Amino acid sequence: MSRRTKNEIVKTFLGLLKEHSLDKITVKDIVETCGINRNTFYYYYKDIYDLIDDVFALETKRVLEDEHRYDAWYEELHRVALFIVENKTAITHIYDSKSRDVLENYLFAITGKITNSFVEREAKRLLVSDEDKEFICTFYGYSLVGMTLSWIKGNTQVDSEEFLRRVAAIFEGTVEAALMSFS
């Protein structure tokens, strides 16, 4: 079986998630829309929840293996948030499902990577222990994930660009102060 078929299943699934809640999507819907048979779907995935796991695993791998890094934290945040922004309705449907933990794990992996990178870069000119840097990264990671989940739920009535700009402004404006408080 080809990688192209697997990618088409993922693309079809995300398209259906933009139109329907997760509990309304069946394997039958995916295979009919995708133009494959059920056996082909089951060759790759044992069920829809396995497909959800794969969607986030593929996206996490793509983001974490991308070597391009930006100096400004906003640009880096924008780069890694693109999947969520482009698929917000689908992500909202996953958030409202029993697979919310997969979404949360994805967000923690992504925010952990970019937060750690930024904190390490800012801490180079300060004397801060690894334990304190880890504490700062954990603090900001939970804050970023919590704020992102709140935005996904619709609790934040701003568009994605404004949301990312606000988060970046707070992050960039306070990380140095946090590091200095531990140095």
Side-chain angles (χ1 to χ4, degrees), residues 69-78 118 121 168 172:
R69 296 291 182 258
Y70 295 97
D71 290 332
W73 200 79
Y74 168 79
E75 293 169 331
E76 184 68 6
L77 180 63
H78 192 273
F118 188 81
R121 189 172 67 219
E172 289 175 347

Side-chain angles (χ1 to χ4, degrees), residues 10-183:
V10 168
K11 181 179 162 188
T12 299
F13 174 65
L14 289 173
L16 288 169
L17 263 177
K18 289 179 181 179
E19 303 291 324
H20 310 284
S21 65
L22 182 62
D23 62 339
K24 301 288 187 211
I25 298 172
T26 65
V27 171
K28 181 180 179 186
D29 297 329
I30 295 169
V31 300
E32 285 179 358
T33 304
C34 196
I36 60 172
N37 65 45
R38 291 178 76 82
N39 288 339
T40 302
F41 177 89
Y42 289 115
Y43 175 81
Y44 293 107
Y45 304 105
K46 63 182 177 190
D47 56 24
I48 288 178
Y49 298 102
D50 190 35
L51 173 57
I52 292 169
D53 289 343
D54 192 46
V55 167
F56 285 111
L58 290 169
E59 184 58 21
T60 300
K61 181 179 179 188
R62 184 194 67 78
V63 169
L64 296 182
E65 290 180 353
D66 184 357
E67 295 297 319
H68 187 82
R69 296 291 182 258
Y70 295 97
D71 290 332
W73 200 79
Y74 168 79
E75 293 169 331
E76 184 68 6
L77 180 63
H78 192 273
R79 178 184 73 82
V80 301
L82 194 57
F83 175 74
I84 294 171
V85 170
E86 289 177 345
N87 296 286
K88 186 169 188 245
T89 303
I91 297 295
T92 300
H93 287 148
I94 292 171
Y95 175 86
D96 290 334
S97 75
K98 68 180 185 179
S99 290
R100 181 183 300 173
D101 62 324
V102 177
L103 171 61
E104 290 175 358
N105 290 339
Y106 164 75
L107 291 172
F108 277 113
I110 299 302
T111 59
K113 175 73 172 177
I114 64 170
T115 301
N116 187 51
S117 176
F118 188 81
V119 167
E120 286 294 334
R121 189 172 67 219
E122 292 294 307
K124 285 195 185 304
R125 62 184 191 282
L126 300 169
L127 185 60
V128 181
S129 72
D130 288 342
E131 182 180 320
D132 290 337
K133 287 187 284 188
E134 183 179 334
F135 180 82
I136 291 168
C137 288
T138 301
F139 176 84
Y140 282 102
Y142 274 91
S143 177
L144 288 168
V145 170
M147 288 299 297
T148 302
L149 291 173
S150 181
W151 177 72
I152 289 168
K153 282 186 353 186
N155 293 342
T156 307
Q157 299 302 318
V158 296
D159 67 14
S160 60
E161 291 296 323
E162 179 65 13
F163 174 75
L164 294 174
R165 188 192 62 71
R166 287 179 177 184
V167 167
I170 291 170
F171 188 82
E172 289 175 347
T174 61
V175 167
E176 184 177 6
L179 287 165
M180 289 179 71
S181 72
F182 285 104
S183 68

